[in-house]
Amino acid sequence: MTEFFIYSKRCFINDKFIESTLHIKNNKIHCIHSGIYKASKIPFLDYTNLIVMPGIIDAHVHINEPGRETWEGFDTATKAAAIGGVTTLIEMPLNASPVTTNIDAFKLKQEASKGKLHVNCGFYGGVIPSNKADIEGLINAGVFGIKGFLTHSGIDEFPNVSKTDLEAIAPILKQYNIPLLLHCELADDNVPEVVNPKSYHEYIQSRPQHWETNAINLALEIQKQFDIKVHIVHLSASAGIERIKQRKEKTDKLTVETCPQYLYFNAEEIPDASPIFKCAPPIREKANNDKLWTFLLDDGFNFLASDHSPAPPERKQLESGDFFKAWGGISGLQFTLPVVYSESKKRGLQIEKLISLLTKKPAEFLGIDSEKGALVAGFDADITVWDDLEELVISEDSIQHKHKATPYLNEMVFGKVIHTFVNGAHVVENSKLKNLRAGRILLKE
Ligand SMILES: [Zn+2]
């Protein structure tokens, strides 16, 4: 049993900073005292000048285990998460083998995570053309949503679905009120021929905005037709914003996320022959990304998520520089907070809003907001403590992901995570891993 106090002048409570003392007991926030509060024999952790906030909830992470643990695994991914202040993550149904498209695979996935979770971990199930009969079982087994692709996923065992496939499962999703998460790109041949596969400009042109907007149209149709929850993952095309906005005015069942890479990098700065930056949909030009920022500042995005999707360096084609042969995915789970915070300072996003986009908002989306995502008495003691003033360079030796290859290497950022508590355990102390295996499997009730 653990019992201790955490004190700060800036505890993030009810969407604002308040000088408070959190009393942690039995893995929970037992109660919250305003101001400074001490009692004899109970350890007092004094974080006066640091920000104390709910742990980050990353609702979009690819971990690759079982089957592709040479890409990433539960041990390394959740260590990186903890060091980055992430206390809960939700794992995607693809890139592991088997993919999570039936209940047996879901059991294997949970089995593979045992003894390796340093933060809390939940899961999504996947929809492919052949698994309509498995969807209900996955939902009953506790997945947080069902994810599908509208274009080739990059993983042959996870083929994309058609509108007809989605129509077939929509009534099940409706019955259980479970979100359908869609990778919104709809491929067509209306793209220029590739001349130089090392050209980043040609890579962007190969995945144009109209692929995203056509897919978003389909997502909106399905949402409207069946009145189900539809979530658009990793929006990159600003051309999609207006139609999303219009639909969001009519329903709260449409949600949308974007990711640090689309908010932090711009195509103009990405050199040719550098597929470390390859993801799909691609990082687009500054003018596009400025519009994503306007939408973010306008409260348009429901939350932010990393879409951590790592691969071994040889798969990223770092030597050949070929964008078209490289694996598409950005490795960045550990760096969401400093990356987005640094850019937020430039763009004028209030720190209070940023924290909410990383904690309370994803908790609401996942339906875990009665126990996580806020500092409230009775909630789980998942807490992140960080220094918003510290400036640092992301160095190779700080990276906990299985592979060091990340586009964030050598970036100068603001914000350093100092302590992470997971279920009341002090997992990261003074920016170093201390207590391991404090994470739990989360299942949707
Ligand atoms: Zn993803």
Side-chain angles (χ1 to χ4, degrees):
M1 190 180 91
T2 46
E3 185 170 9
F4 54 94
F5 292 119
I6 293 176
Y7 164 75
S8 170
K9 281 187 185 150
R10 287 188 295 165
C11 287
F12 191 71
I13 295 167
N14 282 329
D15 300 327
K16 47 189 183 292
F17 293 114
I18 302 177
E19 183 182 10
S20 311
T21 307
L22 311 179
H23 184 172
I24 311 302
K25 191 177 175 184
N26 292 339
N27 317 320
K28 301 274 183 193
I29 301 169
H30 179 64
C31 61
I32 300 176
H33 300 273
S34 64
I36 193 160
Y37 185 91
K38 293 185 181 184
S40 63
K41 291 186 187 156
I42 299 178
F44 181 87
L45 305 179
D46 186 349
Y47 301 148
T48 307
N49 293 313
L50 302 175
I51 289 178
V52 171
M53 70 176 205
I56 295 169
I57 298 173
D58 190 338
H60 189 154
V61 178
H62 299 266
I63 289 185
N64 316 62
E65 190 173 1
R68 284 192 187 86
E69 43 284 80
T70 53
W71 294 30
E72 182 66 284
F74 285 104
D75 178 56
T76 42
T78 61
K79 277 178 180 160
I83 288 280
V86 175
T87 55
T88 295
L89 59 86
I90 311 294
E91 213 269 336
M92 280 291 169
L94 72 164
N95 304 358
S97 179
V99 292
T100 321
T101 49
N102 61 54
I103 200 148
D104 291 339
F106 185 31
K107 282 181 186 151
L108 283 175
K109 170 97 72 173
Q110 292 180 59
E111 204 54 48
S113 76
K114 288 214 172 115
K116 299 173 195 159
L117 294 183
H118 311 302
V119 304
N120 301 308
C121 182
F123 307 90
Y124 297 112
V127 59
I128 55 175
S130 58
N131 79 333
K132 185 193 164 194
D134 296 301
I135 297 297
E136 193 162 13
L138 283 166
I139 294 171
N140 284 321
V143 299
F144 281 89
I146 298 293
K147 161 91 177 277
F149 273 69
L150 296 171
T151 188
H152 194 283
S153 73
I155 298 282
D156 290 333
E157 319 88 90
F158 202 94
N160 57 279
V161 284
S162 65
K163 187 164 184 238
T164 316
D165 298 321
L166 294 176
E167 285 167 345
I169 65 157
I172 307 169
L173 301 176
K174 170 85 179 164
Q175 185 190 340
Y176 290 94
N177 199 25
I178 284 279
L180 173 65
L181 294 90
L182 288 175
H183 177 118
C184 284
E185 283 183 296
L186 202 53
D188 62 31
D189 294 332
N190 189 11
V191 290
E193 203 181 320
V194 178
V195 179
N196 174 12
K198 295 185 189 181
S199 155
Y200 189 68
H201 180 67
E202 291 199 33
Y203 175 61
I204 305 184
Q205 286 192 319
S206 76
R207 305 189 85 110
Q209 298 225 14
H210 77 259
W211 280 22
E212 276 193 75
T213 51
N214 287 346
I216 291 166
N217 288 345
L218 194 157
L220 298 185
E221 272 173 46
I222 289 279
Q223 192 285 314
K224 199 170 169 183
Q225 192 180 337
F226 293 91
D227 187 34
I228 54 171
K229 287 183 178 170
V230 169
H231 179 69
I232 296 168
V233 295
H234 52 51
L235 181 77
S236 157
S238 61
I241 289 173
E242 202 47 47
R243 64 202 82 195
I244 291 171
K245 240 182 175 170
Q246 283 174 14
R247 187 64 200 147
K248 271 161 105 15
E249 278 165 18
K250 302 220 164 63
T251 179
D252 58 6
K253 288 183 179 167
L254 178 71
T255 51
V256 56
E257 78 189 25
T258 192
C259 312
Q261 55 269 31
Y262 303 118
L263 298 172
Y264 187 79
F265 296 115
N266 296 309
E268 290 88 339
E269 302 144 11
I270 297 178
D272 285 346
S274 57
I276 192 82
F277 291 93
K278 179 180 176 181
C279 56
I283 297 164
R284 302 187 190 280
E285 296 83 354
K286 183 170 184 299
N288 176 80
N289 302 342
D290 287 348
K291 290 178 189 159
L292 295 179
W293 265 102
T294 304
F295 191 48
L296 183 67
L297 291 165
D298 223 17
D299 300 329
F301 286 106
N302 292 77
F303 58 86
L304 302 175
S306 70
D307 191 12
H308 177 63
S309 181
E314 59 277 14
R315 291 215 163 241
K316 286 298 284 178
Q317 297 282 327
L318 300 182
E319 279 175 22
S320 78
D322 187 324
F323 282 102
F324 292 83
K325 286 195 188 128
W327 173 258
I330 299 276
S331 182
L333 170 61
Q334 191 180 327
F335 303 114
T336 296
L337 179 63
V339 162
V340 188
Y341 175 60
S342 302
E343 197 61 26
S344 294
K345 279 166 73 89
K346 291 185 203 156
R347 303 273 188 166
L349 177 69
Q350 270 190 325
I351 192 166
E352 290 89 343
K353 274 198 182 178
L354 171 64
I355 294 173
S356 181
L357 284 162
L358 296 172
T359 59
K360 187 170 90 173
K361 300 286 210 80
E364 283 168 4
F365 169 74
L366 296 163
I368 55 173
D369 52 320
S370 57
E371 63 260 19
K372 293 189 186 297
L375 299 179
V376 173
F379 275 39
D380 296 336
D382 294 342
I383 297 162
T384 294
V385 182
W386 61 291
D387 184 347
D388 55 320
L389 298 176
E390 185 160 345
E391 196 175 10
L392 61 136
V393 175
I394 294 177
S395 65
E396 197 161 273
D397 62 346
S398 73
I399 298 170
Q400 300 283 333
H401 309 142
K402 178 151 241 154
H403 299 288
K404 306 279 186 191
T406 170
Y408 298 117
L409 184 65
N410 297 327
E411 288 297 311
M412 174 96 79
V413 288
F414 276 98
K416 185 173 191 189
V417 174
I418 313 291
H419 302 279
T420 308
F421 297 84
V422 178
N423 304 311
H426 204 160
V427 175
V428 172
E429 184 175 0
N430 295 319
S431 306
K432 298 241 163 17
L433 289 159
K434 184 187 168 208
N435 292 299
L436 297 180
R437 288 175 282 281
R440 294 179 189 153
I441 288 179
L442 296 181
L443 298 175
K444 175 103 179 156
E445 311 235 316

